[in-house]
Amino acid sequence: MEIKKILCLLVFVLSFLSCKKEPELQKEHPQNIPNETKSYQLISYKNRILTDNNINIFEYNDLKISLEYDRHTFLGYGTKPFSLYQSFYDLDSGDLDLWRYDEPDTKSKIFFVELDNYSSRQFHIYVHQNNHLYYLGENNIDLSKIIENVKNIKVNFDIRQADNGILIESIVNNKSFSTLNYKLEKPLNIYKEYDDISEYIKTGKDISQNSEQENPPHKISKNEFFSINSDRDGIIEVTLNRINKKFVNTKVLEGNPNCPDTSLDNIVLKNNYFTIEKYNCTDKYYLKEYITFKFDKDLLLHKYSIEFTDRHDPDKSIPNKNYTSKDFGNVKFENVDREFLINLLNK
C-alpha cells in the first residue's frame, strides 16, 4: 500500500515539473507564439535623379516615382504604363525627399513626400493599394522646441492598417511624437498616362500647358434666369438671360494653396438662386463649401455653408456652419473671394 502511495506521489511531482517547463519552451522556441500583425517596412530607393527639366525621379527595384512642381504638384507612379497624378500643395517649401513603406500581406505601399525646412518636417502622404492611388493628407512635425538642443534629429514612422483605416505614429529620436488616423476614401484620378517614364520626361515642363489644352472648359450651367460658365483659370461668368447682363468673379474659386484639392465640384441652379459647390481646407479640416447667390435687383451673396471633415479623424462628427445676410450684410457677387470667406469663417 505504501508503495502505491509513493508511486502516485512520484507521478504527480513529475507532472508538475513538466508543466513548469512549458513556459521555458515557449521562450526558447518563439515560433510557437502566434505572430503579431505585420507592420509596414521601410523600403529605400536605390537611385535618385534630377532631370534637366527639374523632375525628381526615385528609382526602386520594382517601380519609379517622379515628383515635379509646375503650378501644381505632379506625382508619377509605375513603369509601363507610367501614370501621373495631380495634387494642390507646393513642393517649394523645403528640401525634398521621398520615403516608402510596404505592407507585405496587403501589397499596400505608402509614400511620404518629405519637405524639410530645418525646424519642421512636412509630409504629404500617398497610399497605393488595389491598383489605386490615394492622397491621405499632411503630417506636420514641429521640431522648433527641440531642434536647438539636439544635434541629430531622427524621424521615422510606425504604420498599422485595419480595413480602410491607417494609423501612423510619428517617432522622433525613438520617442512617440504623434499618432494620427487616416482613411482611404476617394482615389485620385489619373491626370495623364504615358507608355513609360521616358515619354513623360521628354514632355517636361509642358505638362500643365498640354494637359490643360486637352481639358475642355467647365460645362456651362443654365436655367431660365442664368447662364454660368467657369473657365480653366477659375473665372466665373454669370449672364442674366432676360436682360443679357454679365457679372464676373475672378477669385471666388481660390482656395488654400496648400490644399490637395481646391476644385469646383458643381454649380446648382434653382430659380433666381445658384450655389457654387467647391472643395477647400484649413490646417485642421477638409472643407466642402456651398456659396449661394441670389439675384434681386443685384447679384448678392445669400448664404455661405461649410461641411467639415477632420483631416486626422474623418469619422469625427463636426457641426456644419451656416452664414446668411444677417451675418455679412449685402455683398456683391464680384466681391466674394477667398479672404472674405476666411474672415467670415473665423468670426
Side-chain angles (χ1 to χ4, degrees):
M1 190 72 178
E2 289 294 323
I3 294 174
K4 285 185 178 181
K5 287 183 178 180
I6 292 170
L7 288 174
C8 289
L9 181 61
L10 182 62
V11 170
F12 175 79
V13 170
L14 289 173
S15 299
F16 178 79
L17 291 175
S18 175
C19 291
K20 289 285 285 184
K21 285 186 177 181
E22 185 63 27
E24 297 300 322
L25 289 174
Q26 293 283 359
K27 291 180 181 178
E28 292 174 6
H29 303 281
Q31 66 269 21
N32 294 332
I33 301 173
N35 292 328
E36 293 183 358
T37 304
K38 294 181 180 179
S39 62
Y40 284 75
Q41 303 298 315
L42 179 64
I43 309 294
S44 299
Y45 52 82
K46 63 179 184 179
N47 194 21
R48 176 178 179 176
I49 301 168
L50 180 62
T51 67
D52 293 337
N53 45 8
N54 291 320
I55 301 174
N56 295 274
I57 308 295
F58 300 87
E59 294 185 345
Y60 297 91
N61 290 328
D62 56 338
L63 62 89
K64 294 180 181 179
I65 301 294
S66 71
L67 284 165
E68 175 189 3
Y69 183 75
D70 185 9
R71 289 190 286 175
H72 306 299
T73 290
F74 296 95
L75 182 143
Y77 182 98
T79 50
K80 295 184 178 181
F82 187 79
S83 301
L84 204 66
Y85 300 85
Q86 182 184 29
S87 296
F88 294 87
Y89 60 87
D90 189 347
L91 281 183
D92 294 337
S93 55
D95 293 337
L96 175 67
D97 205 353
L98 183 70
W99 302 33
R100 169 182 169 180
Y101 287 81
D102 282 13
E103 207 293 315
D105 292 342
T106 63
K107 297 182 180 180
S108 175
K109 300 176 180 61
I110 295 187
F111 297 92
F112 294 78
V113 178
E114 179 189 19
L115 300 172
D116 179 355
N117 68 355
Y118 179 69
S119 63
S120 69
R121 306 285 190 274
Q122 183 182 75
F123 296 90
H124 292 270
I125 307 170
Y126 296 84
V127 175
H128 191 270
Q129 186 168 302
N130 299 326
N131 295 319
H132 292 293
L133 186 71
Y134 300 82
Y135 177 81
L136 294 188
E138 296 177 24
N139 185 358
N140 293 302
I141 300 177
D142 184 4
L143 303 173
S144 58
K145 294 181 180 179
I146 64 173
I147 202 163
E148 297 298 333
N149 300 320
V150 181
K151 291 182 179 179
N152 297 314
I153 300 293
K154 182 181 178 182
V155 177
N156 52 43
F157 300 97
D158 184 58
I159 306 168
R160 303 276 171 168
Q161 181 169 3
D163 299 324
N164 285 336
I166 295 179
L167 186 75
I168 299 179
E169 181 182 11
S170 304
I171 302 169
V172 178
N173 288 357
N174 298 319
K175 294 183 179 180
S176 179
F177 184 86
S178 64
T179 301
L180 303 174
N181 287 298
Y182 299 90
K183 276 205 169 184
L184 296 181
E185 295 182 314
K186 182 181 177 182
L188 295 174
N189 294 322
I190 294 176
Y191 189 78
K192 194 171 178 66
E193 194 166 59
Y194 301 87
D195 291 335
D196 56 43
I197 193 170
S198 61
E199 182 186 353
Y200 162 58
I201 293 173
K202 289 177 183 177
T203 305
K205 287 294 181 181
D206 294 331
I207 175 66
S208 295
Q209 182 178 355
N210 291 345
S211 298
E212 285 175 0
Q213 288 174 353
E214 293 171 7
N215 293 332
H218 191 274
K219 182 181 178 181
I220 295 176
S221 304
K222 287 185 177 182
N223 71 355
E224 67 274 19
F225 279 89
F226 304 110
S227 294
I228 303 174
N229 180 47
S230 170
D231 67 14
R232 301 184 189 97
D233 296 321
I235 298 173
I236 290 189
E237 184 179 272
V238 179
T239 302
L240 293 176
N241 295 330
R242 294 178 179 177
I243 58 176
N244 198 30
K245 183 176 181 179
K246 291 186 179 181
F247 300 85
V248 177
N249 187 306
T250 61
K251 295 185 177 182
V252 67
L253 294 183
E254 288 182 353
N256 185 337
N258 291 323
C259 283
D261 188 0
T262 58
S263 62
L264 172 67
D265 183 39
N266 199 13
I267 296 178
V268 178
L269 300 88
K270 184 176 181 180
N271 300 326
N272 58 327
Y273 298 83
F274 68 87
T275 299
I276 297 170
E277 301 178 3
K278 64 181 290 289
Y279 299 105
N280 201 357
C281 73
T282 66
D283 292 340
K284 294 183 178 180
Y285 303 108
Y286 293 115
L287 309 179
K288 180 69 178 292
E289 297 177 300
Y290 300 84
I291 311 166
T292 301
F293 296 91
K294 175 184 178 181
F295 181 78
D296 184 8
K297 297 181 181 179
D298 203 349
L299 188 58
L300 302 174
L301 180 63
H302 175 69
K303 187 177 181 181
Y304 176 48
S305 301
I306 314 100
E307 295 176 354
F308 297 85
T309 301
D310 192 296
R311 297 181 76 151
H312 304 305
D313 186 3
D315 290 330
K316 184 177 180 180
S317 179
I318 304 170
N320 297 342
K321 285 191 176 181
N322 299 285
Y323 301 93
T324 68
S325 56
K326 293 180 180 179
D327 302 295
F328 48 72
N330 292 330
V331 181
K332 293 185 176 182
F333 169 73
E334 55 267 29
N335 293 332
V336 177
D337 57 16
R338 181 169 66 94
E339 287 73 23
F340 171 81
L341 296 176
I342 288 173
N343 291 334
L344 187 58
L345 181 61
N346 292 331
K347 269 190 173 183

